[in-house]
Amino acid sequence: MSKTVNRSLAVVLATAGGLTAQRLWKLHEQRNPAAQGKDTAGSLRWNVVTIQAPHELSVDAELPDPLRRLSSKVEVRFRPAPGDRGVELAARPREGFEDEGLRREIREALRDSKQLIETGEILRILPRPEGARPATPTGAIVDLAERIGKKGGVL
């Protein structure tokens, strides 16, 4: 086989593998209430990030812009982190606003808020500052991970 056919076959296999993994994850979420953001009792779960910031942040804190945009749909709380290691910033959907799209927005807003409070800016990887690069099978997997990375996984 030629190199072009091998590369095309690799891209097709990588794409099929990614789509299968995505489908399996959605099935897992449907069967597992905790994966949907609810604990086993059915109440809404808090998403939490620990921020390296003084405890005064938890007393007089204004919401960072990423969370302020969602403030009508989410509950937000600050509290000291265990072990005197900063502040915990937590958010969860208000009653009646629970859906997977909002949960993803909350996760992204928490990550952005953490970066904003700790560094003063939100780091972005897209668009790439170095410009476009040639398409490769492994590059396609990295691109997919970058697109969905902020919306899922561990905070």
Side-chain angles (χ1 to χ4, degrees), residues 58-136:
S58 61
V59 177
D60 299 325
E62 287 186 27
L63 290 180
D65 282 342
L67 281 172
R68 189 176 310 138
R69 281 183 254 140
L70 300 174
S71 64
S72 63
K73 300 176 187 173
V74 300
E75 294 178 60
V76 178
R77 73 177 183 206
F78 288 92
R79 68 180 186 189
D84 199 27
R85 297 184 177 186
V87 175
E88 284 185 349
L89 174 59
R92 71 179 181 184
R94 293 182 190 275
E95 287 291 329
F97 288 102
E98 318 89 24
D99 71 30
E100 188 59 30
L102 181 58
R103 294 207 69 82
R104 288 185 179 139
E105 287 181 58
I106 290 171
R107 298 175 74 84
E108 190 170 352
L110 284 172
R111 285 185 174 126
D112 289 348
S113 297
K114 175 180 172 71
Q115 291 178 12
L116 198 57
I117 292 170
E118 289 181 346
T119 67
E121 63 183 319
I122 300 171
L123 305 175
R124 297 280 180 216
I125 54 174
L126 296 174
R128 296 177 195 288
E130 72 274 10
R133 58 176 162 67
T136 62

Side-chain angles (χ1 to χ4, degrees), residues 3 8 33 39 48 54 66 75 89 106 117 127 136 140-141 147:
K3 282 185 171 182
S8 298
D39 63 20
V48 182
E75 294 178 60
L89 174 59
I106 290 171
I117 292 170
T136 62
I141 294 170
R147 279 195 308 270

